[in-house]
Amino acid sequence: MSMRRERIPVPLIKRRLPSGRGAMLQPNVTGDDDARLSGRFWGVVLATGVAAGLLGDLMMLILFLVEHAAFGVNERGETFQQAVTHASGWHRVTPLLIGGVFGGVAWYLLRRYTRGRTSEVDEVLWTGEGRLSVRRSFGSAVISEIVIGLGASLGRESAPKLLGAVSGNVLSGWTRLTPAQCRLLVACGAGAGLAAVYNVPLGGALFAAEVLIGSVNLPVVLPALACAATATLTSWLYLPSHAVYLNVPHYPYETRLLVWAAVVGPIVGLLAAGYIRVIGWISHHRINGWPAIFTPLAAFSVLALIALAYPQLYGNGKGMAHHAFLGLGSLALLAALSVLKPFVTALCLGSGASGGLFTPVLSTGAVLGGSLGLLWGLVWPGSPVGAYALIGAAATMGAAMQAPLAALVLVLDLTHSGLALVVPMIVATVFATTTTRWVDGYSIYSARLSGAVNAVD
């Protein structure tokens, strides 16, 4: 019986090598299947990348304008965290309260007048139920960036990820691509949106392949890379082309880091599993209907009160992670932030607010790694705190996303550092991700899905 498989596209060279073996014996060199990588498809991939890059620029422009108006960011060359820290009590609290009022009303009206329409990328990709709503998606993206600019503890990547996916959805409809091609393009667009705003083309492409499609083979990786690179290049029209986290030292490898990674990996995995369960419970029980007008204000008020003592909790946590990567912060501060950041992020999500979890999880992992590293240093001193923070960030992200490859590449992409720490980073990430998978298996994305398409695992 012949096991020969036809490759699509058919190669220009028809004659096989003398062995008679086919190219598709290599597992990742598969045929295109239903999502044929035709010339028209490649054109739409590039167009989606351009759209994702431009829309990513627009979302970041909105975010930066709001941060400037609320806290005077960039007036004195300060970062967002520095501006929040230097603000007086009422100046720090007022923008968050405004964000609570605005977000509650805006999200209520948007959801009321777009009822039944979808703006969840993961749900569309994993369940195949319908297309993304342009109006609901764009409205949700803009509201999210405004509220995050005012200080809400949510990730800024949700909006560009969503709009990149919408771009792929709309363009595939205009060009009459097949449903399978549309699905692949939506995933590529979502990864490209992430790549554009964080300047992480490799990480964005791998996010699309590993997380959204769940397959790292050539017919998926090639368009994902092309779309992410195009979006990143386009985003440079407005956004900088350097690493998100600047001046992170190139920490050297040390045996104590490897031993620590093996010890701490399962601990991170257990904590990640618990956090994912909290996110899933809150997402299922989040406030709906007219009470959702008021709950963001209540949640943001609690955040504002806590942040009077810990201003690092404002926003997505970028500054918090950066300080940890640089080795800054005491044991008490890092430990407190590792508990408070997931708490206030869950509080914001539970109030009905929409936003991402990428940077909040990354920052939680960074401060958690830094605090556990400082404790380890009491027993086996010598390694810098920043090295522990990098390893902790990768392990936490890998476990939370259930995507170890994407997590590792994203940390390297975001910092342009850490290559010497790759082995301990891998060890911690493998142990953490395996532990989370063994304990539960959900990710921060699958845990947030609404309803139950299939309740049996």
Side-chain angles (χ1 to χ4, degrees):
M1 179 178 176
S2 174
M3 298 297 291
R4 179 177 176 180
R5 295 177 293 172
E6 182 181 1
R7 200 187 86 181
I8 297 175
V10 177
L12 295 177
I13 300 176
K14 303 296 189 295
R15 184 183 297 274
R16 295 188 177 189
L17 290 173
S19 68
R21 299 280 183 146
M24 286 177 60
L25 286 177
Q26 182 174 327
N28 71 312
V29 186
T30 62
D32 291 355
D33 295 323
D34 295 332
R36 187 166 181 267
L37 306 188
S38 61
R40 180 170 57 177
F41 176 82
W42 278 113
V44 182
V45 165
L46 298 179
T48 299
V50 171
L54 292 175
L55 289 168
D57 280 351
L58 176 61
M59 291 300 102
M60 293 305 98
L61 175 62
I62 292 172
L63 176 70
F64 297 154
L65 287 175
V66 173
E67 289 179 345
H68 175 77
F71 300 103
V73 178
N74 291 331
E75 281 186 352
R76 297 175 297 277
E78 293 179 318
T79 64
F80 177 75
Q81 182 173 315
Q82 289 171 335
V84 171
T85 302
H86 294 157
S88 61
W90 278 112
H91 185 190
R92 186 184 300 175
V93 169
T94 301
L96 253 183
L97 300 182
I98 293 173
V101 174
F102 168 77
V105 174
W107 273 311
Y108 172 77
L109 293 175
L110 178 69
R111 290 161 183 164
R112 179 178 179 182
Y113 291 106
T114 59
R115 186 175 288 114
R117 302 188 182 185
T118 306
S119 60
E120 298 294 335
V121 178
D122 308 328
E123 190 160 1
V124 167
L125 286 173
W126 297 341
T127 66
E129 295 180 347
R131 290 177 173 267
L132 290 163
S133 165
V134 175
R135 185 172 62 171
R136 180 164 181 147
S137 298
F138 188 79
S140 180
V142 172
I143 297 168
S144 176
E145 295 297 353
I146 292 174
V147 169
I148 293 167
L150 292 170
S153 178
L154 295 166
R156 70 183 189 183
E157 86 288 344
S158 178
K161 171 190 165 187
L162 175 57
L163 294 186
V166 168
S167 300
N169 205 321
V170 170
L171 291 171
S172 66
W174 287 351
T175 52
R176 298 182 179 179
L177 296 181
T178 67
Q181 288 174 317
C182 175
R183 177 175 177 270
L184 178 55
L185 200 59
V186 167
C188 291
L194 176 70
V197 298
Y198 286 118
N199 194 34
V200 288
L202 289 175
L206 198 51
F207 178 87
E210 187 180 19
V211 177
L212 298 180
I213 296 295
S215 179
V216 185
N217 57 39
L218 285 182
V220 173
V221 170
L222 288 175
L225 282 169
C227 197
T230 302
T232 303
L233 183 63
T234 302
S235 72
W236 291 346
L237 293 171
Y238 173 66
L239 295 173
S241 59
H242 55 65
V244 171
Y245 299 100
L246 294 172
N247 304 317
V248 177
H250 295 278
Y251 298 111
Y253 167 81
E254 293 171 319
T255 303
R256 69 175 64 86
L257 293 172
L258 181 63
V259 177
W260 177 82
V263 172
V264 83
I267 298 173
V268 170
L270 286 172
L271 294 174
Y275 184 36
I276 291 167
R277 273 282 161 172
V278 170
I279 293 299
W281 189 90
I282 284 177
S283 298
H284 184 71
H285 292 91
R286 68 191 306 171
I287 305 299
N288 294 305
W290 66 264
I293 297 175
F294 308 101
T295 48
L297 175 59
F300 293 2
S301 298
V302 174
L303 168 59
L305 289 175
I306 298 173
L308 288 173
Y310 297 98
Q312 298 90 342
L313 298 175
Y314 270 65
N316 63 356
K318 175 188 172 184
M320 190 171 89
H322 199 180
H323 280 193
F325 293 150
L326 296 176
L328 304 176
S330 65
L331 173 58
L333 175 62
L334 294 176
L337 292 177
S338 68
V339 174
L340 292 173
K341 188 60 177 178
F343 169 73
V344 295
T345 301
L347 188 67
C348 290
L349 285 176
S351 73
S354 293
L357 288 171
F358 176 79
T359 304
V361 168
L362 171 76
S363 60
T364 298
V367 294
L368 176 62
S371 60
L372 293 176
L374 282 171
L375 288 174
W376 184 257
L378 298 176
V379 179
W380 193 350
S383 294
V385 175
Y388 292 113
L390 284 171
I391 297 169
T396 304
M397 286 178 60
M401 297 194 304
Q402 285 294 284
L405 284 175
L408 289 163
V409 171
L410 281 164
V411 169
L412 297 176
D413 240 0
L414 287 164
T415 61
H416 291 187
S417 181
L419 285 175
L421 303 178
V422 162
V423 172
M425 286 171 67
I426 290 174
V427 169
T429 302
V430 168
F431 280 148
T433 307
T434 302
T435 301
T436 301
R437 184 170 185 262
W438 175 68
V439 170
D440 205 2
Y442 286 100
S443 73
I444 53 174
Y445 303 111
S446 62
R448 296 176 68 182
L449 294 179
S450 61
V453 176
N454 182 5
V456 180
D457 279 332

